[in-house]
Amino acid sequence: MLRSLRARLVLLTVAVTLSALVAASLLSRVAVRREFLQLETTDRRQGLTRAAALIEDRVRQGAAPGDSLLARAAELSGLALVLADDSGRVLAASAPELREARIRALGGNTVELTVRTRRGRALVLERVRYSGAPGPAVHAADGRPLGRLYPLAPAGAAEPERRLGFLPAVNRWLLFAAIGAGALAALLAATLSRRILGPVEALTRAAREMAAGNLDRRVEIRSRDEIGELARAFNGMAESLARNEALRRGLVADVAHELRTPLTRLRGHIEAIQDGLIAPDPAALESVHGEILLLARLVDDLQELALAEAGQLPLHRSPLAVAPAVAAALAAVSARARERGIALASEIPDGVRDVHADAGRLAQILGNLLANALTHARGRITVSAADRADGVALSITDDGEGIAPEHLSHVFDRFYRADPSRSRASGGTGLGLAIVRQLVEAHGGTVAVESQPGRGACFTFVLPAAGPS
């Protein structure tokens, strides 16, 4: 396909070039012919004027207007001349064979002259027509008109174009120019097509390699034009595909890893009961039930995260007051906070605007962030709110160990833990913060985290405001 495109590009360039040259050649030929004939007409008119002046001057000096005088006038003007009266009768001629010429006016400025010319050894009659004003009148010394000069043809030729072969030479050079320009156009088109289509061929090869599974393939960006932008977009697409493939593989590995621990525990409990090592008492059943609940929660979180990432999570948004939503979220985790000796505080100003959000999803966002804070806090968790230009910002701040800078950009990733050794009991499913980000973004908001090691962390999310402040 690329080869045919290159061939079409070369042929199109050559065709356009040749078409332009043909048109220019035709116009040039017409213009040159017109200007040349006009120049010939001007030269002929000037030659006739000089010849008439010579003849009149010699006649005033007493010379007879005969053949010898016309021969000298023909040498001066470069024309074969005939002096004829108004009836067309030849009075004198510059050459003997022109003595028998017959002159006949055809109307307007067109005159036909029939002359006897020699072709090899034979004498033949030849008719010559020319257009233009008739030659000048020749007068005697007393002013009496002797006749009128008629130019038959340039001396030594039958018509102006053949006198020097000018127009045929021009046509030949125009033809040579067209051939040379066509060859040069083909060469330039081939060179340019190679430079233009070379990156396209590289992109095609890279796309084929990517289709075969090589997601690490990239193309070199050599220009800043449209082809360079295409290569840059291709590399961006390749990086996105590679990143998504890495995320997919990581997700499969993470899910397998997250499912393995509860399934292993569940299997161990069931096999121990089957082997009679553990009695199927309420304590054993409670342990099994806990592992099942953990698996169910993990599956629910994965499904919810998948729906949120696909933009299919239903939201029923309405104006919600911030203070009651925060109070309900704090009440839901108060028992766990008391068990750990962590104080919960709410700092919601009276004039803060309502948010436009789904009540259930807002409770889920606050619950996930508070659960994360409870995991890391040492003695206090504070929830605050403030109006901002882009909406209402809610912050959950803890006084825990904080997050190292290299981990800040990953805290919202699925299954990510700053401490890889953190147990499932204290670390949850590893999907809570990822779900928070997807839920906030589904509302059209943003979420961020600020932290310093040893000084706790502050998670802030912004939701659209329900109305003016």
Side-chain angles (χ1 to χ4, degrees):
M1 178 179 177
L2 291 174
R3 293 181 179 177
S4 62
L5 181 60
R6 178 174 296 175
R8 288 198 298 269
L9 181 61
V10 172
L11 291 178
L12 178 63
T13 305
V14 173
V16 170
T17 303
L18 290 180
S19 299
L21 285 172
V22 168
S25 299
L26 292 177
L27 292 175
S28 299
R29 185 176 185 276
V30 172
V32 169
R33 178 184 176 86
R34 178 179 178 181
E35 294 299 324
F36 183 77
L37 293 181
Q38 185 176 356
L39 179 62
E40 283 290 330
T41 301
T42 301
D43 290 345
R44 181 174 61 186
R45 187 180 300 114
Q46 293 176 353
L48 288 174
T49 301
R50 290 194 298 270
L54 174 64
I55 293 173
E56 290 181 348
D57 182 64
R58 294 303 172 85
V59 168
R60 284 195 295 269
Q61 294 178 7
D67 294 345
S68 59
L69 183 56
L70 255 69
R72 297 182 64 181
E75 294 177 359
L76 176 65
S77 63
L79 300 170
L81 301 175
V82 171
L83 180 64
D85 57 17
D86 293 338
S87 63
R89 182 172 60 88
V90 175
L91 302 178
S94 60
E97 61 270 17
L98 301 180
R99 286 292 300 174
E100 300 180 8
R102 294 193 301 274
I103 302 173
R104 182 166 65 95
L106 299 179
N109 292 328
T110 303
V111 177
E112 180 183 80
L113 299 98
T114 303
V115 297
R116 189 182 301 275
T117 59
R118 181 176 297 279
R119 297 288 180 84
R121 296 182 179 181
L123 293 175
V124 297
L125 292 176
E126 181 177 2
R127 292 182 178 181
V128 179
R129 293 185 181 184
Y130 71 91
S131 297
V138 179
H139 300 85
D142 56 3
R144 176 176 54 85
L146 297 176
R148 187 175 294 275
L149 284 177
Y150 291 92
L152 298 185
E159 53 182 309
E161 290 101 311
R162 295 205 305 265
R163 190 167 82 173
L164 294 176
F166 179 76
L167 290 182
V170 170
N171 294 335
R172 284 194 301 273
W173 282 109
L174 288 176
L175 178 61
F176 294 155
I179 295 174
L184 181 60
L187 179 61
L188 291 177
T191 303
L192 291 177
S193 65
R194 186 179 297 107
R195 294 192 60 182
I196 294 174
L197 298 180
V200 178
E201 293 175 345
L203 284 170
T204 302
R205 290 192 297 269
R208 288 173 178 168
E209 291 185 19
M210 288 187 62
N214 182 14
L215 298 182
D216 295 330
R217 185 67 166 85
R218 302 292 184 271
V219 294
E220 182 180 358
I221 301 175
R222 300 182 178 179
S223 63
R224 296 183 179 179
D225 55 9
E226 289 80 359
I227 299 296
E229 289 297 324
L230 178 60
R232 192 172 291 105
F234 178 88
N235 288 341
M237 178 193 67
E239 291 175 1
S240 178
L241 289 175
R243 184 167 55 252
N244 290 337
E245 178 64 16
L247 289 175
R248 184 190 66 82
R249 294 177 180 177
L251 177 61
V252 172
D254 289 339
V255 170
H257 175 74
E258 298 298 324
L259 291 175
R260 183 179 295 112
T261 300
L263 285 175
T264 300
R265 291 176 179 175
L266 186 59
R267 177 183 176 183
H269 281 87
I270 293 175
E271 289 180 348
I273 293 174
Q274 289 176 339
D275 294 339
L277 299 177
I278 299 177
D281 53 17
L285 294 178
E286 181 66 24
S287 178
V288 172
H289 183 255
E291 297 297 338
I292 294 175
L293 289 179
L294 181 59
L295 285 174
R297 181 183 171 191
L298 178 59
V299 172
D300 291 341
D301 286 349
L302 284 172
Q303 182 180 12
E304 192 166 31
L305 183 60
L307 289 175
E309 289 179 343
Q312 299 178 357
L313 195 65
L315 295 176
H316 304 286
R317 286 184 279 192
S318 62
L320 298 175
V322 173
V326 172
L330 291 175
V333 298
S334 60
R336 183 181 172 189
R338 282 194 301 270
E339 291 177 0
R340 299 197 58 191
I342 297 174
L344 301 178
S346 174
E347 299 178 356
I348 309 298
D350 294 336
V352 68
R353 289 180 292 176
D354 294 346
V355 295
H356 188 247
D358 184 298
R361 300 305 178 185
L362 177 57
Q364 188 176 4
I365 294 171
L366 290 170
N368 286 359
L369 290 175
L370 287 172
N372 178 76
L374 285 171
T375 303
H376 302 280
R378 295 172 181 171
R380 183 180 179 84
I381 297 175
T382 303
V383 181
S384 59
D387 286 329
R388 296 201 331 194
D390 54 347
V392 179
L394 288 90
S395 300
I396 292 85
T397 306
D398 64 69
D399 57 354
E401 69 275 12
I403 304 172
E406 63 269 18
H407 298 301
L408 284 176
S409 61
H410 301 286
V411 294
F412 295 104
D413 293 347
R414 292 170 299 199
F415 299 115
Y416 186 81
R417 290 182 180 83
D419 182 4
S421 64
R422 185 175 300 279
S423 67
R424 178 64 50 219
S426 62
T429 63
L431 297 174
L433 294 181
I435 293 176
V436 166
R437 179 175 63 180
Q438 293 300 325
L439 291 178
V440 172
E441 292 178 352
H443 281 82
T446 58
V447 61
V449 59
E450 296 178 355
S451 179
Q452 294 181 4
R455 302 184 63 179
C458 177
F459 287 82
T460 301
F461 65 97
V462 181
L463 295 180
S469 56

